[in-house]
């Protein structure tokens, strides 16, 4: 049973007011996915999550008397083009937009990258290759390549929902319109590995999470804990009375002319990819909230504070039942910087 854990720390000072009300959607990411095996167990998982980095260390053990070859994959989050882009991904010109890297037993792994372009459930990757269109929806190179599409192809892609004409063009894609990508890019890094018989193998990987959020506290309605958004936050982040009370106090200070606290959302997909035999024998989660003045809430059990900004949860024979969703209220002097 997951229990509530909330840490409350008051800010030391109030900075100048924040006036915007923009929202940036977080992107769910997770760990590695392994091919199904009845011989390989996970002895340990050590997970570290912060707004600037996710690090995961695994120790696998092949309990059989034969080597096990396996396919290992890291699914990157989907990127879907849309007219109003509010995704938290910051590096749209790199295939490795989360700056993913991995090592096995201390040696760097060179992973292969598979990318597929999907539109309305149909794989159109070959068409993009035919017309030399980069697959990253928001890349500047993609915009330039789309502008060079032959008129007949442009009209066909608009009709099929791959692109949308903007800025003065018509629905047929004429009139010098900019073309907005509407397709979904699915990217996966993968490699093959061997788990030697009766031995342990360590695998580590890290990346930059795509952190979402708002520039103010958004889950209160006229300063009160009510409404659908508040109920959603309560379920997702396990808000308790003390956390809500502090949030109301900070929102009231901002309303009176003080600076806003801002929200950061981090999501980690923990409940997929469990293709090893049995539960995780030893699981450890460390979360860093960034600055001492920040306030954090998430659902967890057996959580302890181990530093000014860090908290640790440990479990034996851990069988993940839900993903981790983390809410951080950033104090005005500690607003996170874009990586």
């Amino acid at each position: 049973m997951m229990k509530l854990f909330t840490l409350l720390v008051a800010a030391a000072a109030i900075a100048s007011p924040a006036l915007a009300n923009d929202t940036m959607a977080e992107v769910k990411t997770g760990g590695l996915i392994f091919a199904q095996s009845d011989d390989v167990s996970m002895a340990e998982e050590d997970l570290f999550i912060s707004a600037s980095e996710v690090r995961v260390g695994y120790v696998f053990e092949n309990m059989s008397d034969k080597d096990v070859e396996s396919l290992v994959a890291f699914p990157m989050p989907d990127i879907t083009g849309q007219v109003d882009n509010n995704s938290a991904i910051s590096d749209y010109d790199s295939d490795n937009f989360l700056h993913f890297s991995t090592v096995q037993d201390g040696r760097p792994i060179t992973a292969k990258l598979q990318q597929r372009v999907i539109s309305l459930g149909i794989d159109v990757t070959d068409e993009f290759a035919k017309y030399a269109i980069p697959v990253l929806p928001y890349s500047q190179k993609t915009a330039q390549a789309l502008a060079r599409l032959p008129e007949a192809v442009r009209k066909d892609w608009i009709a099929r929902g791959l692109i949308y004409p903007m800025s003065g063009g018509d629905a047929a894609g004429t009139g010098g319109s900019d073309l907005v990508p509407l397709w979904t890019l699915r990217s996966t890094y993968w490699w093959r590995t061997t788990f030697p018989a009766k031995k342990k193998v360590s695998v580590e990987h890290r990346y930059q999470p795509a952190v979402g959020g708002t520039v103010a506290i958004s889950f209160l309605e006229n300063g009160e804990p009510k409404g659908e958004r508040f109920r959603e936050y309560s379920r997702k982040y396990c808000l308790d009375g003390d956390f809500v009370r502090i949030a109301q106090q900070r929102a009231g200070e901002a309303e009176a002319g003080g600076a806003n606290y801002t929200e950061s959302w981090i999501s980690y997909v923990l409940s997929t990819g469990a293709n090893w035999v049995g539960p995780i024998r030893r699981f450890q989660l460390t979360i860093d909230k960034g600055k001492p003045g920040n306030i954090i809430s998430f659902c967890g059990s057996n959580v302890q504070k181990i530093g000014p900004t860090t908290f640790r949860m440990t479990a034996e024979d851990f069988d993940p039942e839900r993903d981790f969703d983390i809410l951080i209220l950033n104090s005005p002097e500690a607003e996170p910087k874009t990586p």
Side-chain angles (χ1 to χ4, degrees):
M1 176 67 66
M2 304 296 286
K3 297 180 180 178
L4 171 67
F5 173 74
T6 303
L7 180 85
L8 303 172
V9 182
I14 298 296
S16 58
L19 302 177
N21 60 356
D22 299 326
T23 298
M24 193 72 74
E26 86 274 31
V27 176
K28 287 183 176 289
T29 48
L32 302 181
I33 295 178
F34 294 78
Q36 182 70 44
S37 174
D38 293 329
D39 297 317
V40 178
S41 65
M42 186 183 288
E44 301 178 19
E45 179 176 358
D46 189 351
L47 172 60
F48 171 87
I49 301 176
S50 73
S52 59
E53 185 179 48
V54 172
R55 301 193 304 267
V56 194
Y58 308 90
V59 176
F60 291 93
E61 184 174 6
N62 181 359
M63 301 175 294
S64 71
D65 57 3
K66 63 181 184 300
D67 293 352
V68 174
E69 293 188 358
S70 177
L71 187 71
V72 185
F74 177 72
M76 302 278 276
D78 287 354
I79 299 181
T80 299
Q82 51 190 345
V83 174
D84 296 317
N85 174 33
N86 71 338
S87 171
I89 292 173
S90 59
D91 189 358
Y92 283 114
D93 289 308
S94 172
D95 288 329
N96 190 6
F97 50 84
L98 295 183
H99 304 285
F100 166 79
S101 65
T102 188
V103 298
Q104 180 168 319
D105 290 332
R107 297 187 299 273
I109 294 293
T110 301
K112 298 179 181 179
L113 175 62
Q114 181 190 73
Q115 293 181 308
R116 310 303 297 176
V117 181
I118 308 298
S119 177
L120 300 177
I122 300 172
D123 190 323
V124 293
T125 309
D126 292 343
E127 289 190 64
F128 276 61
K130 178 180 178 181
Y131 295 104
I133 304 298
V135 297
L136 289 162
Y138 297 111
S139 168
Q140 184 62 34
K141 293 180 180 179
T142 301
Q144 294 169 355
L146 288 175
R148 296 191 296 268
L149 275 176
E151 183 177 352
V153 176
R154 184 188 306 117
K155 291 181 178 180
D156 177 54
W157 284 21
I158 291 172
R160 292 162 55 193
L162 274 73
I163 53 179
Y164 181 80
M166 294 286 288
S167 68
D170 55 32
T174 60
S177 61
D178 294 330
L179 299 174
V180 178
L182 298 180
W183 66 82
T184 295
L185 173 63
R186 292 179 181 166
S187 305
T188 301
Y189 281 96
W190 66 275
W191 63 97
R192 297 185 184 277
T193 193
T194 299
F195 298 102
K198 301 296 184 181
K199 291 186 178 180
K200 293 182 178 180
V201 171
S202 67
V203 180
E204 301 176 6
H205 72 95
R206 63 181 62 199
Y207 57 87
Q208 293 179 359
V211 180
T214 68
V215 298
I217 297 174
S218 68
F219 56 88
L220 300 176
E221 189 174 294
N222 297 322
E224 296 299 322
K226 60 182 180 180
E228 180 55 36
R229 191 173 184 88
F230 174 75
R231 290 189 290 272
E232 176 191 354
Y233 272 49
S234 296
R235 293 189 299 267
K236 190 173 183 178
Y237 303 114
C238 289
L239 306 186
D240 71 358
D242 288 336
F243 184 95
V244 173
R245 177 179 56 80
I246 297 297
Q248 287 181 280
Q249 179 182 340
R250 298 299 178 255
E253 292 171 353
E255 191 72 21
N260 284 322
Y261 271 61
T262 63
E263 297 179 14
S264 289
W265 315 319
I266 308 173
S267 295
Y268 185 87
V269 181
L270 185 66
S271 58
T272 60
N275 288 338
W276 50 86
V277 60
I280 304 169
R281 277 178 270 166
R282 178 183 174 274
F283 175 79
Q284 177 172 282
L285 167 67
T286 304
I287 295 178
D288 191 331
K289 66 175 181 172
K291 296 290 184 180
N294 292 349
I295 308 168
I296 188 171
S297 186
F298 60 93
C299 301
S301 59
N302 302 320
V303 179
Q304 295 181 332
K305 183 179 179 181
I306 61 171
T309 63
T310 51
F311 315 93
R312 179 163 292 167
M313 168 182 146
T314 60
E316 304 290 334
D317 296 326
F318 182 65
D319 189 6
E321 297 178 351
R322 62 177 294 173
D323 300 331
F324 279 112
D325 292 295
I326 301 165
L327 171 63
I328 299 174
L329 299 187
N330 304 288
S331 61
E333 77 280 5
E335 294 182 9
K337 297 180 180 179
T338 302

